[in-house]
Amino acid sequence: TLPIQSKIALYATALEGIKHDGVGIPIGEIYSTYLKICTLIGRAFLTQRRVINLLNKLDFMKIIQNIEIKSQGRYSTFIE
């Protein structure tokens, strides 16, 4: 089974993926959704960098498929 933080990151990614039709999802929006979920359920939250690492691990384990994290400058990072 996945750790709770990975489950929250996966759920936040799924919610944002639905909202954006799975194309060009800004990491900031995934992280914002992740923070809202953590607050809602009363869990401590991780840094944005750590959440990106969790998403990379989920991709490696083939739970999330075909993600590509693209950085387009200081404040623009997307999952495609």
Side-chain angles (χ1 to χ4, degrees), residues 26-65:
I27 290 288
E29 290 185 25
I30 292 173
Y31 187 67
S32 176
T33 301
Y34 166 82
L35 291 176
K36 289 176 188 174
I37 295 168
C38 286
T39 303
L40 185 67
I41 64 173
R43 299 294 291 196
F45 52 86
L46 303 173
T47 63
Q48 184 170 339
R49 173 177 266 175
R50 182 70 180 121
V51 171
I52 291 171
N53 289 342
L54 289 176
L55 294 175
N56 281 327
K57 285 182 183 180
L58 292 172
D59 180 43
F60 180 75
M61 295 186 313
K62 302 297 182 198
I63 294 172
I64 298 175
Q65 293 185 358

PDB file of all heavy atoms in Angstrom, residues 26-65:
ATOM      1  N   PRO A  26      -0.503  22.632 -14.085  1.00  0.00           N
ATOM      2  CA  PRO A  26       0.534  23.343 -13.319  1.00  0.00           C
ATOM      3  C   PRO A  26       0.782  22.678 -11.963  1.00  0.00           C
ATOM      4  O   PRO A  26      -0.153  22.341 -11.248  1.00  0.00           O
ATOM      5  CB  PRO A  26      -0.052  24.740 -13.133  1.00  0.00           C
ATOM      6  CG  PRO A  26      -1.113  24.865 -14.173  1.00  0.00           C
ATOM      7  CD  PRO A  26      -1.643  23.489 -14.387  1.00  0.00           C
ATOM      8  N   ILE A  27       2.049  22.494 -11.633  1.00  0.00           N
ATOM      9  CA  ILE A  27       2.419  21.897 -10.354  1.00  0.00           C
ATOM     10  C   ILE A  27       1.863  22.726  -9.200  1.00  0.00           C
ATOM     11  O   ILE A  27       1.427  22.180  -8.192  1.00  0.00           O
ATOM     12  CB  ILE A  27       3.954  21.779 -10.231  1.00  0.00           C
ATOM     13  CG1 ILE A  27       4.484  20.713 -11.175  1.00  0.00           C
ATOM     14  CG2 ILE A  27       4.374  21.475  -8.806  1.00  0.00           C
ATOM     15  CD1 ILE A  27       4.164  19.301 -10.778  1.00  0.00           C
ATOM     16  N   GLY A  28       1.849  24.026  -9.360  1.00  0.00           N
ATOM     17  CA  GLY A  28       1.320  24.901  -8.311  1.00  0.00           C
ATOM     18  C   GLY A  28      -0.126  24.591  -7.980  1.00  0.00           C
ATOM     19  O   GLY A  28      -0.538  24.648  -6.821  1.00  0.00           O
ATOM     20  N   GLU A  29      -0.918  24.258  -8.982  1.00  0.00           N
ATOM     21  CA  GLU A  29      -2.318  23.928  -8.740  1.00  0.00           C
ATOM     22  C   GLU A  29      -2.453  22.567  -8.072  1.00  0.00           C
ATOM     23  O   GLU A  29      -3.305  22.374  -7.202  1.00  0.00           O
ATOM     24  CB  GLU A  29      -3.113  23.979 -10.046  1.00  0.00           C
ATOM     25  CG  GLU A  29      -3.279  25.386 -10.566  1.00  0.00           C
ATOM     26  CD  GLU A  29      -4.157  25.472 -11.787  1.00  0.00           C
ATOM     27  OE1 GLU A  29      -5.019  24.591 -11.987  1.00  0.00           O
ATOM     28  OE2 GLU A  29      -3.978  26.429 -12.551  1.00  0.00           O
ATOM     29  N   ILE A  30      -1.617  21.612  -8.479  1.00  0.00           N
ATOM     30  CA  ILE A  30      -1.626  20.305  -7.815  1.00  0.00           C
ATOM     31  C   ILE A  30      -1.232  20.481  -6.360  1.00  0.00           C
ATOM     32  O   ILE A  30      -1.877  19.936  -5.457  1.00  0.00           O
ATOM     33  CB  ILE A  30      -0.670  19.315  -8.518  1.00  0.00           C
ATOM     34  CG1 ILE A  30      -1.202  18.957  -9.901  1.00  0.00           C
ATOM     35  CG2 ILE A  30      -0.479  18.053  -7.676  1.00  0.00           C
ATOM     36  CD1 ILE A  30      -0.250  18.125 -10.733  1.00  0.00           C
ATOM     37  N   TYR A  31      -0.197  21.272  -6.110  1.00  0.00           N
ATOM     38  CA  TYR A  31       0.270  21.486  -4.745  1.00  0.00           C
ATOM     39  C   TYR A  31      -0.776  22.223  -3.915  1.00  0.00           C
ATOM     40  O   TYR A  31      -0.991  21.905  -2.745  1.00  0.00           O
ATOM     41  CB  TYR A  31       1.596  22.239  -4.743  1.00  0.00           C
ATOM     42  CG  TYR A  31       2.209  22.331  -3.377  1.00  0.00           C
ATOM     43  CD1 TYR A  31       2.684  21.191  -2.732  1.00  0.00           C
ATOM     44  CD2 TYR A  31       2.313  23.550  -2.710  1.00  0.00           C
ATOM     45  CE1 TYR A  31       3.240  21.259  -1.462  1.00  0.00           C
ATOM     46  CE2 TYR A  31       2.866  23.624  -1.445  1.00  0.00           C
ATOM     47  CZ  TYR A  31       3.330  22.478  -0.831  1.00  0.00           C
ATOM     48  OH  TYR A  31       3.872  22.550   0.426  1.00  0.00           O
ATOM     49  N   SER A  32      -1.452  23.188  -4.511  1.00  0.00           N
ATOM     50  CA  SER A  32      -2.511  23.907  -3.811  1.00  0.00           C
ATOM     51  C   SER A  32      -3.641  22.963  -3.420  1.00  0.00           C
ATOM     52  O   SER A  32      -4.146  23.016  -2.282  1.00  0.00           O
ATOM     53  CB  SER A  32      -3.041  25.035  -4.699  1.00  0.00           C
ATOM     54  OG  SER A  32      -4.116  25.690  -4.085  1.00  0.00           O
ATOM     55  N   THR A  33      -4.031  22.087  -4.329  1.00  0.00           N
ATOM     56  CA  THR A  33      -5.065  21.090  -4.031  1.00  0.00           C
ATOM     57  C   THR A  33      -4.575  20.133  -2.960  1.00  0.00           C
ATOM     58  O   THR A  33      -5.314  19.767  -2.038  1.00  0.00           O
ATOM     59  CB  THR A  33      -5.462  20.327  -5.315  1.00  0.00           C
ATOM     60  OG1 THR A  33      -5.938  21.271  -6.281  1.00  0.00           O
ATOM     61  CG2 THR A  33      -6.539  19.302  -5.044  1.00  0.00           C
ATOM     62  N   TYR A  34      -3.320  19.733  -3.048  1.00  0.00           N
ATOM     63  CA  TYR A  34      -2.697  18.862  -2.043  1.00  0.00           C
ATOM     64  C   TYR A  34      -2.774  19.507  -0.657  1.00  0.00           C
ATOM     65  O   TYR A  34      -3.147  18.867   0.328  1.00  0.00           O
ATOM     66  CB  TYR A  34      -1.246  18.585  -2.450  1.00  0.00           C
ATOM     67  CG  TYR A  34      -0.400  17.999  -1.361  1.00  0.00           C
ATOM     68  CD1 TYR A  34      -0.423  16.635  -1.087  1.00  0.00           C
ATOM     69  CD2 TYR A  34       0.426  18.805  -0.592  1.00  0.00           C
ATOM     70  CE1 TYR A  34       0.352  16.098  -0.068  1.00  0.00           C
ATOM     71  CE2 TYR A  34       1.202  18.282   0.416  1.00  0.00           C
ATOM     72  CZ  TYR A  34       1.155  16.925   0.681  1.00  0.00           C
ATOM     73  OH  TYR A  34       1.918  16.399   1.689  1.00  0.00           O
ATOM     74  N   LEU A  35      -2.435  20.808  -0.557  1.00  0.00           N
ATOM     75  CA  LEU A  35      -2.487  21.516   0.721  1.00  0.00           C
ATOM     76  C   LEU A  35      -3.909  21.568   1.270  1.00  0.00           C
ATOM     77  O   LEU A  35      -4.129  21.388   2.476  1.00  0.00           O
ATOM     78  CB  LEU A  35      -1.941  22.939   0.569  1.00  0.00           C
ATOM     79  CG  LEU A  35      -0.447  23.073   0.305  1.00  0.00           C
ATOM     80  CD1 LEU A  35      -0.083  24.544   0.077  1.00  0.00           C
ATOM     81  CD2 LEU A  35       0.361  22.492   1.441  1.00  0.00           C
ATOM     82  N   LYS A  36      -4.887  21.804   0.390  1.00  0.00           N
ATOM     83  CA  LYS A  36      -6.286  21.854   0.823  1.00  0.00           C
ATOM     84  C   LYS A  36      -6.738  20.512   1.384  1.00  0.00           C
ATOM     85  O   LYS A  36      -7.423  20.461   2.407  1.00  0.00           O
ATOM     86  CB  LYS A  36      -7.188  22.271  -0.341  1.00  0.00           C
ATOM     87  CG  LYS A  36      -7.034  23.709  -0.745  1.00  0.00           C
ATOM     88  CD  LYS A  36      -7.878  24.025  -1.952  1.00  0.00           C
ATOM     89  CE  LYS A  36      -7.584  25.422  -2.472  1.00  0.00           C
ATOM     90  NZ  LYS A  36      -8.295  25.699  -3.720  1.00  0.00           N
ATOM     91  N   ILE A  37      -6.344  19.432   0.715  1.00  0.00           N
ATOM     92  CA  ILE A  37      -6.721  18.096   1.184  1.00  0.00           C
ATOM     93  C   ILE A  37      -6.071  17.811   2.534  1.00  0.00           C
ATOM     94  O   ILE A  37      -6.727  17.311   3.448  1.00  0.00           O
ATOM     95  CB  ILE A  37      -6.342  17.023   0.143  1.00  0.00           C
ATOM     96  CG1 ILE A  37      -7.153  17.210  -1.147  1.00  0.00           C
ATOM     97  CG2 ILE A  37      -6.555  15.620   0.700  1.00  0.00           C
ATOM     98  CD1 ILE A  37      -6.645  16.386  -2.315  1.00  0.00           C
ATOM     99  N   CYS A  38      -4.780  18.127   2.668  1.00  0.00           N
ATOM    100  CA  CYS A  38      -4.078  17.906   3.944  1.00  0.00           C
ATOM    101  C   CYS A  38      -4.750  18.683   5.068  1.00  0.00           C
ATOM    102  O   CYS A  38      -4.936  18.154   6.175  1.00  0.00           O
ATOM    103  CB  CYS A  38      -2.613  18.318   3.827  1.00  0.00           C
ATOM    104  SG  CYS A  38      -1.609  17.170   2.889  1.00  0.00           S
ATOM    105  N   THR A  39      -5.113  19.926   4.811  1.00  0.00           N
ATOM    106  CA  THR A  39      -5.775  20.747   5.811  1.00  0.00           C
ATOM    107  C   THR A  39      -7.138  20.162   6.173  1.00  0.00           C
ATOM    108  O   THR A  39      -7.498  20.088   7.345  1.00  0.00           O
ATOM    109  CB  THR A  39      -5.936  22.193   5.296  1.00  0.00           C
ATOM    110  OG1 THR A  39      -4.640  22.709   4.967  1.00  0.00           O
ATOM    111  CG2 THR A  39      -6.577  23.085   6.339  1.00  0.00           C
ATOM    112  N   LEU A  40      -7.867  19.724   5.157  1.00  0.00           N
ATOM    113  CA  LEU A  40      -9.204  19.173   5.362  1.00  0.00           C
ATOM    114  C   LEU A  40      -9.185  17.931   6.243  1.00  0.00           C
ATOM    115  O   LEU A  40     -10.033  17.767   7.120  1.00  0.00           O
ATOM    116  CB  LEU A  40      -9.836  18.850   4.009  1.00  0.00           C
ATOM    117  CG  LEU A  40     -11.272  18.374   4.008  1.00  0.00           C
ATOM    118  CD1 LEU A  40     -12.200  19.490   4.468  1.00  0.00           C
ATOM    119  CD2 LEU A  40     -11.676  17.906   2.624  1.00  0.00           C
ATOM    120  N   ILE A  41      -8.195  17.071   6.043  1.00  0.00           N
ATOM    121  CA  ILE A  41      -8.152  15.828   6.810  1.00  0.00           C
ATOM    122  C   ILE A  41      -7.221  15.914   8.031  1.00  0.00           C
ATOM    123  O   ILE A  41      -7.043  14.937   8.746  1.00  0.00           O
ATOM    124  CB  ILE A  41      -7.761  14.620   5.928  1.00  0.00           C
ATOM    125  CG1 ILE A  41      -6.347  14.748   5.367  1.00  0.00           C
ATOM    126  CG2 ILE A  41      -8.774  14.422   4.825  1.00  0.00           C
ATOM    127  CD1 ILE A  41      -5.861  13.505   4.643  1.00  0.00           C
ATOM    128  N   GLY A  42      -6.623  17.087   8.244  1.00  0.00           N
ATOM    129  CA  GLY A  42      -5.808  17.302   9.434  1.00  0.00           C
ATOM    130  C   GLY A  42      -4.440  16.631   9.399  1.00  0.00           C
ATOM    131  O   GLY A  42      -3.927  16.225  10.434  1.00  0.00           O
ATOM    132  N   ARG A  43      -3.848  16.524   8.227  1.00  0.00           N
ATOM    133  CA  ARG A  43      -2.516  15.919   8.091  1.00  0.00           C
ATOM    134  C   ARG A  43      -1.474  17.011   7.875  1.00  0.00           C
ATOM    135  O   ARG A  43      -1.762  18.055   7.298  1.00  0.00           O
ATOM    136  CB  ARG A  43      -2.472  14.965   6.894  1.00  0.00           C
ATOM    137  CG  ARG A  43      -3.420  13.797   6.949  1.00  0.00           C
ATOM    138  CD  ARG A  43      -3.100  12.844   8.043  1.00  0.00           C
ATOM    139  NE  ARG A  43      -1.856  12.149   7.759  1.00  0.00           N
ATOM    140  CZ  ARG A  43      -1.473  11.057   8.373  1.00  0.00           C
ATOM    141  NH1 ARG A  43      -2.212  10.525   9.310  1.00  0.00           N
ATOM    142  NH2 ARG A  43      -0.338  10.483   8.078  1.00  0.00           N
ATOM    143  N   ALA A  44      -0.258  16.746   8.317  1.00  0.00           N
ATOM    144  CA  ALA A  44       0.861  17.651   8.033  1.00  0.00           C
ATOM    145  C   ALA A  44       1.152  17.581   6.535  1.00  0.00           C
ATOM    146  O   ALA A  44       0.899  16.557   5.898  1.00  0.00           O
ATOM    147  CB  ALA A  44       2.091  17.237   8.828  1.00  0.00           C
ATOM    148  N   PHE A  45       1.651  18.666   5.970  1.00  0.00           N
ATOM    149  CA  PHE A  45       1.932  18.672   4.539  1.00  0.00           C
ATOM    150  C   PHE A  45       3.423  18.741   4.266  1.00  0.00           C
ATOM    151  O   PHE A  45       4.202  19.157   5.107  1.00  0.00           O
ATOM    152  CB  PHE A  45       1.194  19.804   3.822  1.00  0.00           C
ATOM    153  CG  PHE A  45       1.403  21.160   4.427  1.00  0.00           C
ATOM    154  CD1 PHE A  45       2.480  21.930   4.070  1.00  0.00           C
ATOM    155  CD2 PHE A  45       0.502  21.652   5.361  1.00  0.00           C
ATOM    156  CE1 PHE A  45       2.674  23.176   4.626  1.00  0.00           C
ATOM    157  CE2 PHE A  45       0.685  22.900   5.934  1.00  0.00           C
ATOM    158  CZ  PHE A  45       1.770  23.668   5.556  1.00  0.00           C
ATOM    159  N   LEU A  46       3.785  18.300   3.083  1.00  0.00           N
ATOM    160  CA  LEU A  46       5.176  18.285   2.640  1.00  0.00           C
ATOM    161  C   LEU A  46       5.446  19.511   1.776  1.00  0.00           C
ATOM    162  O   LEU A  46       4.525  20.194   1.331  1.00  0.00           O
ATOM    163  CB  LEU A  46       5.441  17.018   1.818  1.00  0.00           C
ATOM    164  CG  LEU A  46       5.150  15.688   2.504  1.00  0.00           C
ATOM    165  CD1 LEU A  46       5.306  14.544   1.513  1.00  0.00           C
ATOM    166  CD2 LEU A  46       6.061  15.496   3.691  1.00  0.00           C
ATOM    167  N   THR A  47       6.719  19.758   1.483  1.00  0.00           N
ATOM    168  CA  THR A  47       7.079  20.859   0.596  1.00  0.00           C
ATOM    169  C   THR A  47       6.717  20.500  -0.837  1.00  0.00           C
ATOM    170  O   THR A  47       6.518  19.324  -1.182  1.00  0.00           O
ATOM    171  CB  THR A  47       8.590  21.155   0.654  1.00  0.00           C
ATOM    172  OG1 THR A  47       9.294  20.006   0.175  1.00  0.00           O
ATOM    173  CG2 THR A  47       9.030  21.498   2.067  1.00  0.00           C
ATOM    174  N   GLN A  48       6.646  21.511  -1.676  1.00  0.00           N
ATOM    175  CA  GLN A  48       6.315  21.287  -3.086  1.00  0.00           C
ATOM    176  C   GLN A  48       7.345  20.378  -3.747  1.00  0.00           C
ATOM    177  O   GLN A  48       6.992  19.493  -4.528  1.00  0.00           O
ATOM    178  CB  GLN A  48       6.222  22.617  -3.823  1.00  0.00           C
ATOM    179  CG  GLN A  48       5.774  22.466  -5.269  1.00  0.00           C
ATOM    180  CD  GLN A  48       5.466  23.800  -5.903  1.00  0.00           C
ATOM    181  OE1 GLN A  48       5.201  24.786  -5.231  1.00  0.00           O
ATOM    182  NE2 GLN A  48       5.468  23.840  -7.224  1.00  0.00           N
ATOM    183  N   ARG A  49       8.598  20.566  -3.429  1.00  0.00           N
ATOM    184  CA  ARG A  49       9.653  19.726  -4.015  1.00  0.00           C
ATOM    185  C   ARG A  49       9.451  18.263  -3.646  1.00  0.00           C
ATOM    186  O   ARG A  49       9.620  17.371  -4.466  1.00  0.00           O
ATOM    187  CB  ARG A  49      11.025  20.202  -3.552  1.00  0.00           C
ATOM    188  CG  ARG A  49      12.140  19.267  -3.981  1.00  0.00           C
ATOM    189  CD  ARG A  49      13.469  19.799  -3.585  1.00  0.00           C
ATOM    190  NE  ARG A  49      13.971  20.544  -4.726  1.00  0.00           N
ATOM    191  CZ  ARG A  49      15.077  21.240  -4.741  1.00  0.00           C
ATOM    192  NH1 ARG A  49      15.824  21.321  -3.662  1.00  0.00           N
ATOM    193  NH2 ARG A  49      15.468  21.871  -5.810  1.00  0.00           N
ATOM    194  N   ARG A  50       9.092  18.007  -2.393  1.00  0.00           N
ATOM    195  CA  ARG A  50       8.866  16.625  -1.941  1.00  0.00           C
ATOM    196  C   ARG A  50       7.644  16.011  -2.632  1.00  0.00           C
ATOM    197  O   ARG A  50       7.641  14.830  -2.970  1.00  0.00           O
ATOM    198  CB  ARG A  50       8.695  16.603  -0.419  1.00  0.00           C
ATOM    199  CG  ARG A  50       8.503  15.237   0.142  1.00  0.00           C
ATOM    200  CD  ARG A  50       9.785  14.407   0.047  1.00  0.00           C
ATOM    201  NE  ARG A  50       9.519  13.096   0.612  1.00  0.00           N
ATOM    202  CZ  ARG A  50       9.640  11.952  -0.049  1.00  0.00           C
ATOM    203  NH1 ARG A  50      10.077  11.936  -1.280  1.00  0.00           N
ATOM    204  NH2 ARG A  50       9.362  10.821   0.528  1.00  0.00           N
ATOM    205  N   VAL A  51       6.601  16.806  -2.860  1.00  0.00           N
ATOM    206  CA  VAL A  51       5.417  16.305  -3.572  1.00  0.00           C
ATOM    207  C   VAL A  51       5.791  15.941  -5.012  1.00  0.00           C
ATOM    208  O   VAL A  51       5.358  14.912  -5.527  1.00  0.00           O
ATOM    209  CB  VAL A  51       4.262  17.328  -3.519  1.00  0.00           C
ATOM    210  CG1 VAL A  51       3.114  16.919  -4.425  1.00  0.00           C
ATOM    211  CG2 VAL A  51       3.765  17.480  -2.086  1.00  0.00           C
ATOM    212  N   ILE A  52       6.625  16.752  -5.647  1.00  0.00           N
ATOM    213  CA  ILE A  52       7.095  16.427  -7.005  1.00  0.00           C
ATOM    214  C   ILE A  52       7.865  15.116  -6.981  1.00  0.00           C
ATOM    215  O   ILE A  52       7.692  14.269  -7.862  1.00  0.00           O
ATOM    216  CB  ILE A  52       7.951  17.577  -7.576  1.00  0.00           C
ATOM    217  CG1 ILE A  52       7.079  18.797  -7.849  1.00  0.00           C
ATOM    218  CG2 ILE A  52       8.671  17.135  -8.852  1.00  0.00           C
ATOM    219  CD1 ILE A  52       7.852  20.043  -8.209  1.00  0.00           C
ATOM    220  N   ASN A  53       8.703  14.918  -5.956  1.00  0.00           N
ATOM    221  CA  ASN A  53       9.430  13.644  -5.832  1.00  0.00           C
ATOM    222  C   ASN A  53       8.473  12.468  -5.675  1.00  0.00           C
ATOM    223  O   ASN A  53       8.695  11.402  -6.241  1.00  0.00           O
ATOM    224  CB  ASN A  53      10.401  13.690  -4.654  1.00  0.00           C
ATOM    225  CG  ASN A  53      11.588  14.586  -4.910  1.00  0.00           C
ATOM    226  OD1 ASN A  53      11.885  14.921  -6.048  1.00  0.00           O
ATOM    227  ND2 ASN A  53      12.255  14.982  -3.851  1.00  0.00           N
ATOM    228  N   LEU A  54       7.407  12.654  -4.888  1.00  0.00           N
ATOM    229  CA  LEU A  54       6.410  11.590  -4.734  1.00  0.00           C
ATOM    230  C   LEU A  54       5.744  11.267  -6.065  1.00  0.00           C
ATOM    231  O   LEU A  54       5.517  10.098  -6.395  1.00  0.00           O
ATOM    232  CB  LEU A  54       5.349  12.000  -3.711  1.00  0.00           C
ATOM    233  CG  LEU A  54       5.777  12.054  -2.254  1.00  0.00           C
ATOM    234  CD1 LEU A  54       4.631  12.565  -1.383  1.00  0.00           C
ATOM    235  CD2 LEU A  54       6.239  10.699  -1.765  1.00  0.00           C
ATOM    236  N   LEU A  55       5.436  12.294  -6.844  1.00  0.00           N
ATOM    237  CA  LEU A  55       4.809  12.068  -8.150  1.00  0.00           C
ATOM    238  C   LEU A  55       5.763  11.328  -9.088  1.00  0.00           C
ATOM    239  O   LEU A  55       5.335  10.454  -9.847  1.00  0.00           O
ATOM    240  CB  LEU A  55       4.352  13.398  -8.765  1.00  0.00           C
ATOM    241  CG  LEU A  55       3.227  14.111  -8.024  1.00  0.00           C
ATOM    242  CD1 LEU A  55       2.950  15.456  -8.667  1.00  0.00           C
ATOM    243  CD2 LEU A  55       1.983  13.262  -7.962  1.00  0.00           C
ATOM    244  N   ASN A  56       7.048  11.668  -9.014  1.00  0.00           N
ATOM    245  CA  ASN A  56       8.028  10.937  -9.819  1.00  0.00           C
ATOM    246  C   ASN A  56       8.096   9.470  -9.409  1.00  0.00           C
ATOM    247  O   ASN A  56       8.213   8.585 -10.260  1.00  0.00           O
ATOM    248  CB  ASN A  56       9.412  11.579  -9.703  1.00  0.00           C
ATOM    249  CG  ASN A  56       9.543  12.799 -10.572  1.00  0.00           C
ATOM    250  OD1 ASN A  56       8.953  12.873 -11.640  1.00  0.00           O
ATOM    251  ND2 ASN A  56      10.310  13.765 -10.122  1.00  0.00           N
ATOM    252  N   LYS A  57       8.007   9.198  -8.106  1.00  0.00           N
ATOM    253  CA  LYS A  57       8.004   7.807  -7.637  1.00  0.00           C
ATOM    254  C   LYS A  57       6.759   7.074  -8.104  1.00  0.00           C
ATOM    255  O   LYS A  57       6.826   5.901  -8.480  1.00  0.00           O
ATOM    256  CB  LYS A  57       8.090   7.756  -6.111  1.00  0.00           C
ATOM    257  CG  LYS A  57       9.450   8.072  -5.571  1.00  0.00           C
ATOM    258  CD  LYS A  57       9.477   7.956  -4.061  1.00  0.00           C
ATOM    259  CE  LYS A  57      10.831   8.345  -3.519  1.00  0.00           C
ATOM    260  NZ  LYS A  57      10.889   8.236  -2.059  1.00  0.00           N
ATOM    261  N   LEU A  58       5.614   7.753  -8.083  1.00  0.00           N
ATOM    262  CA  LEU A  58       4.379   7.129  -8.559  1.00  0.00           C
ATOM    263  C   LEU A  58       4.474   6.823 -10.055  1.00  0.00           C
ATOM    264  O   LEU A  58       3.954   5.801 -10.514  1.00  0.00           O
ATOM    265  CB  LEU A  58       3.181   8.030  -8.270  1.00  0.00           C
ATOM    266  CG  LEU A  58       2.813   8.205  -6.797  1.00  0.00           C
ATOM    267  CD1 LEU A  58       1.747   9.277  -6.640  1.00  0.00           C
ATOM    268  CD2 LEU A  58       2.352   6.894  -6.193  1.00  0.00           C
ATOM    269  N   ASP A  59       5.135   7.685 -10.794  1.00  0.00           N
ATOM    270  CA  ASP A  59       5.360   7.436 -12.215  1.00  0.00           C
ATOM    271  C   ASP A  59       6.285   6.235 -12.387  1.00  0.00           C
ATOM    272  O   ASP A  59       6.043   5.364 -13.230  1.00  0.00           O
ATOM    273  CB  ASP A  59       5.960   8.673 -12.885  1.00  0.00           C
ATOM    274  CG  ASP A  59       6.221   8.471 -14.368  1.00  0.00           C
ATOM    275  OD1 ASP A  59       5.362   7.899 -15.061  1.00  0.00           O
ATOM    276  OD2 ASP A  59       7.298   8.887 -14.829  1.00  0.00           O
ATOM    277  N   PHE A  60       7.333   6.161 -11.591  1.00  0.00           N
ATOM    278  CA  PHE A  60       8.280   5.048 -11.666  1.00  0.00           C
ATOM    279  C   PHE A  60       7.601   3.717 -11.359  1.00  0.00           C
ATOM    280  O   PHE A  60       7.899   2.689 -11.958  1.00  0.00           O
ATOM    281  CB  PHE A  60       9.445   5.288 -10.695  1.00  0.00           C
ATOM    282  CG  PHE A  60      10.473   4.197 -10.695  1.00  0.00           C
ATOM    283  CD1 PHE A  60      11.377   4.092 -11.743  1.00  0.00           C
ATOM    284  CD2 PHE A  60      10.525   3.281  -9.668  1.00  0.00           C
ATOM    285  CE1 PHE A  60      12.327   3.087 -11.763  1.00  0.00           C
ATOM    286  CE2 PHE A  60      11.468   2.266  -9.670  1.00  0.00           C
ATOM    287  CZ  PHE A  60      12.370   2.158 -10.717  1.00  0.00           C
ATOM    288  N   MET A  61       6.657   3.739 -10.406  1.00  0.00           N
ATOM    289  CA  MET A  61       5.934   2.522 -10.046  1.00  0.00           C
ATOM    290  C   MET A  61       4.778   2.227 -11.006  1.00  0.00           C
ATOM    291  O   MET A  61       4.024   1.296 -10.802  1.00  0.00           O
ATOM    292  CB  MET A  61       5.399   2.633  -8.613  1.00  0.00           C
ATOM    293  CG  MET A  61       6.502   2.700  -7.585  1.00  0.00           C
ATOM    294  SD  MET A  61       5.957   2.667  -5.847  1.00  0.00           S
ATOM    295  CE  MET A  61       4.651   3.840  -5.776  1.00  0.00           C
ATOM    296  N   LYS A  62       4.623   3.064 -12.035  1.00  0.00           N
ATOM    297  CA  LYS A  62       3.580   2.917 -13.053  1.00  0.00           C
ATOM    298  C   LYS A  62       2.172   3.105 -12.506  1.00  0.00           C
ATOM    299  O   LYS A  62       1.206   2.606 -13.064  1.00  0.00           O
ATOM    300  CB  LYS A  62       3.674   1.561 -13.774  1.00  0.00           C
ATOM    301  CG  LYS A  62       5.006   1.315 -14.445  1.00  0.00           C
ATOM    302  CD  LYS A  62       5.265   2.316 -15.525  1.00  0.00           C
ATOM    303  CE  LYS A  62       6.590   2.012 -16.215  1.00  0.00           C
ATOM    304  NZ  LYS A  62       7.093   3.120 -16.960  1.00  0.00           N
ATOM    305  N   ILE A  63       2.045   3.829 -11.398  1.00  0.00           N
ATOM    306  CA  ILE A  63       0.728   4.175 -10.875  1.00  0.00           C
ATOM    307  C   ILE A  63       0.184   5.371 -11.638  1.00  0.00           C
ATOM    308  O   ILE A  63      -0.994   5.423 -11.974  1.00  0.00           O
ATOM    309  CB  ILE A  63       0.807   4.445  -9.359  1.00  0.00           C
ATOM    310  CG1 ILE A  63       1.180   3.137  -8.649  1.00  0.00           C
ATOM    311  CG2 ILE A  63      -0.502   5.003  -8.827  1.00  0.00           C
ATOM    312  CD1 ILE A  63       1.475   3.284  -7.191  1.00  0.00           C
ATOM    313  N   ILE A  64       1.051   6.325 -11.902  1.00  0.00           N
ATOM    314  CA  ILE A  64       0.751   7.433 -12.815  1.00  0.00           C
ATOM    315  C   ILE A  64       1.587   7.146 -14.048  1.00  0.00           C
ATOM    316  O   ILE A  64       2.774   6.852 -13.935  1.00  0.00           O
ATOM    317  CB  ILE A  64       1.173   8.792 -12.234  1.00  0.00           C
ATOM    318  CG1 ILE A  64       0.418   9.086 -10.947  1.00  0.00           C
ATOM    319  CG2 ILE A  64       0.935   9.901 -13.238  1.00  0.00           C
ATOM    320  CD1 ILE A  64       0.867  10.356 -10.271  1.00  0.00           C
ATOM    321  N   GLN A  65       0.977   7.228 -15.216  1.00  0.00           N
ATOM    322  CA  GLN A  65       1.734   6.893 -16.413  1.00  0.00           C
ATOM    323  C   GLN A  65       1.950   8.115 -17.291  1.00  0.00           C
ATOM    324  O   GLN A  65       1.098   8.986 -17.392  1.00  0.00           O
ATOM    325  CB  GLN A  65       1.021   5.813 -17.203  1.00  0.00           C
ATOM    326  CG  GLN A  65       1.001   4.499 -16.453  1.00  0.00           C
ATOM    327  CD  GLN A  65       0.408   3.383 -17.280  1.00  0.00           C
ATOM    328  OE1 GLN A  65      -0.024   3.591 -18.396  1.00  0.00           O
ATOM    329  NE2 GLN A  65       0.399   2.196 -16.722  1.00  0.00           N
TER     330      GLN A  65
END
